[in-house]
């Protein structure tokens, strides 16, 4: 079964952020991910990781007050500063994956212009990340949750990965977003597996624990194993009640 890591933006929110590390370790997780470390110093977070014996798997580039800005030409300098900041944190936290957030296409910008800015920004960021030993990941997000988000489908994300090179950049395949936006999850996993560097899960439609909605997780997790996926799967869901009370599914599916 896949290796699951706790997303501390979504799980253990009953506690202040820094206390969620200990809660995750106590619940049996060996690794964590979350969107933003930037409200705390890297040293503070590193201390929590070490004290709890946890590994940092992934975090995002600064969201810039929204969902990122990689597709927005007017925010190029801010984007670049954000990438530099993220790479500094990644070095301090010994984190090998950073999610480069694409952003929302401004209403007065054509999609072609946004696409050109995105391609240039991702290529620049990959050049920065490579010597730092960090692999960037790109995540398509469904339009119902984030209307106007630039990267809409798994195939759009995979095409950028192939253009830049799989060794430098990978696809962040969030099964929740795939099911909402496109469906046909396992066929897409089969087709895109070589490009996938990270996965995330939540059930549909409620974005709660696996097993609370329409996805057949026994089948999906079995196929992920059969396809030889060796990366982490982030638990990026909203607990239906309280985090610990909802972790039963994990015992069923964990290696
Ligand atoms: O929205 C999502 O699914 C994500 O994974 C983004 O990175 C937000 O944290
Ligand atoms: Mg996600």
């Amino acid at each position: 079964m896949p290796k699951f890591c706790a997303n501390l933006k979504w799980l253990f929110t009953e506690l202040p952020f820094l206390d969620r590390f200990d809660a995750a370790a106590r619940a049996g997780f060996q690794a964590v991910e979350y969107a933003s470390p930037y409200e705390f110093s890297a040293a503070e977070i590193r201390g929590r990781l070490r004290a709890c014996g946890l590994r940092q798997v992934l975090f995002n580039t600064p969201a810039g007050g929204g969902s990122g800005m990689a597709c927005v030409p007017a925010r190029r300098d801010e984007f670049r500063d954000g990438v530099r900041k993220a790479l500094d944190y990644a070095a301090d936290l010994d984190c090998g994956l950073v999610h480069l957030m694409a952003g929302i296409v401004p209403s007065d910008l054509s999609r072609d212009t946004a696409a050109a800015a995105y391609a240039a920004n991702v290529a620049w960021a990959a050049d920065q990340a490579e010597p730092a030993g960090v692999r960037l990941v790109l995540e398509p997000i469904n339009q119902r949750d984030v209307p106007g988000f630039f990267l809409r489908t798994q195939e759009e994300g995979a095409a950028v990965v192939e253009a830049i090179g799989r060794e430098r950049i990978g696809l962040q395949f969030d099964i929740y977003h795939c099911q909402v936006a496109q469906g046909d999850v396992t066929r897409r996993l089969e087709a895109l597996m070589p490009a996938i560097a990270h996965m995330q899960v939540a059930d549909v439609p409620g974005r709660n624990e696996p097993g609370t909605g329409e996805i057949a997780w026994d089948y999906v997790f079995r196929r992920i194993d059969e396809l030889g996926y060796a990366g982490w799967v982030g638990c990026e869901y909203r607990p239906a009640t309280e985090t610990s009370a909802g972790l039963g599914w994990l015992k069923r599916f964990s290696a």
Side-chain angles (χ1 to χ4, degrees), residues 107-126:
S107 55
D108 59 351
L109 197 72
S110 76
R111 185 160 176 87
D112 282 353
T113 307
Y118 184 69
N121 277 335
V122 173
W124 178 87

Side-chain angles (χ1 to χ4, degrees), residues 9 35 60 99 101 139 141 172 174 177 200 207 236:
K9 175 184 173 190
N60 295 353
H99 170 205
M101 296 201 77
E139 182 188 46
I141 290 185
Q172 179 170 319
D174 186 324
H177 290 303
Q200 291 173 325
R207 208 171 187 177
E236 192 184 36

Side-chain angles (χ1 to χ4, degrees), residues 15-16 28 66 77 86-87 102 121 129 134 164 179 189 200 208 231 243 251:
L15 300 167
D77 291 348
L87 292 177
N121 277 335
V134 169
I164 304 268
Q179 173 71 358
L189 288 170
Q200 291 173 325
N208 303 125
T243 305
K251 292 188 181 65

Side-chain angles (χ1 to χ4, degrees), residues 26-76:
R26 283 173 189 274
F29 287 101
Q30 294 177 1
V32 293
E33 62 171 40
Y34 41 80
S36 172
Y38 310 109
E39 293 74 25
F40 303 93
S41 72
E44 238 172 333
I45 296 180
R46 195 174 57 232
R48 296 292 167 140
L49 289 166
R50 289 215 176 127
C52 302
L54 288 167
R55 184 168 157 193
Q56 177 75 44
V57 168
L58 168 99
F59 59 87
N60 295 353
T61 49
S67 303
M69 60 206 113
C71 74
V72 185
R75 299 182 73 181
R76 194 193 71 163

Side-chain angles (χ1 to χ4, degrees), residues 120-138:
N121 277 335
V122 173
W124 178 87
D127 285 346
Q128 310 306 304
E130 191 169 19
V134 169
R135 192 174 178 198
L136 300 174
V137 286
L138 312 177

